[in-house]
Amino acid sequence: MRGLEQAIRDTARELLANGRVRLVLGYREGSVPFRTTPAFIRTPEEVDRLVWNPFCANNLAVYLPAAVGAGGCIAVVAKGCDARSIVTLVQEHQVPRERVVILGVPCTGMADPARLAGGDGSLHGTPVTWDGEG
C-alpha cells in the first residue's frame, strides 16, 4: 500500500510541477483516528500530505463540477466506483473530460471506521494499528 501511496504522490507532484493540472483532489489524514479527509493539493510542496489507505472512502467526484468550474485541469484520485461517478459527470456534461486527469487506484475494499470502538484505535477491545501495509 505504501508503494501505491508513493506512486500517487510522485504522479501528483509531476502533474503540478509541469503545469498539466492546477489542482489534485486526493486524501489526507483526518483529525480522528482511522479517518481521512479530502485534500486539495495546489503545489508540488503539498503533495506529501496525500495518503492512500483503507480509510480513503470519500467519493472525490462530488468536488469535480465546482473544481473544474474554476478553470484549468484537475487531477483526481479515483477508486473504481469513483471513476464510474466521474464517467457519469462527463456523460451528463457536468465535467468536460479534457479537463480531468484520473489517477486510478485499485480498491480491495474500504475499512469501516464505525466498527472502531469509540474512535480510540481499538476494535471490540483489541488494539488496531495501521502500519501502511494493513
Side-chain angles (χ1 to χ4, degrees), residues 12-30:
R13 186 175 287 111
E14 180 182 335
L15 289 169
L16 288 164
N18 69 21
R20 172 78 172 88
V21 301
R22 69 167 183 82
L23 175 70
V24 175
L25 298 175
Y27 302 91
R28 65 180 176 87
E29 291 295 328

Side-chain angles (χ1 to χ4, degrees), residues 1-2 5 8-9 25-40 49-60 63 77 79 82 105 109-114 116 130 132:
M1 189 87 47
R2 286 286 177 211
E5 183 176 272
I8 292 168
R9 290 176 178 176
L25 298 175
Y27 302 91
R28 65 180 176 87
E29 291 295 328
S31 58
V32 177
F34 303 111
R35 297 277 186 169
T36 60
T37 188
F40 300 86
R49 292 180 18 210
L50 291 170
V51 299
W52 177 253
N53 60 51
F55 301 102
C56 296
N58 295 353
N59 183 344
L60 300 176
Y63 300 101
V77 176
K79 304 176 294 290
D82 304 339
V105 291
M110 297 287 104
D112 183 6
L116 297 173
W130 171 252

Side-chain angles (χ1 to χ4, degrees), residues 59 61-62 64 79-91:
N59 183 344
V62 301
L64 281 177
K79 304 176 294 290
C81 53
D82 304 339
R84 287 190 295 276
S85 296
I86 295 168
V87 168
T88 300
L89 290 171
V90 170
Q91 289 174 336

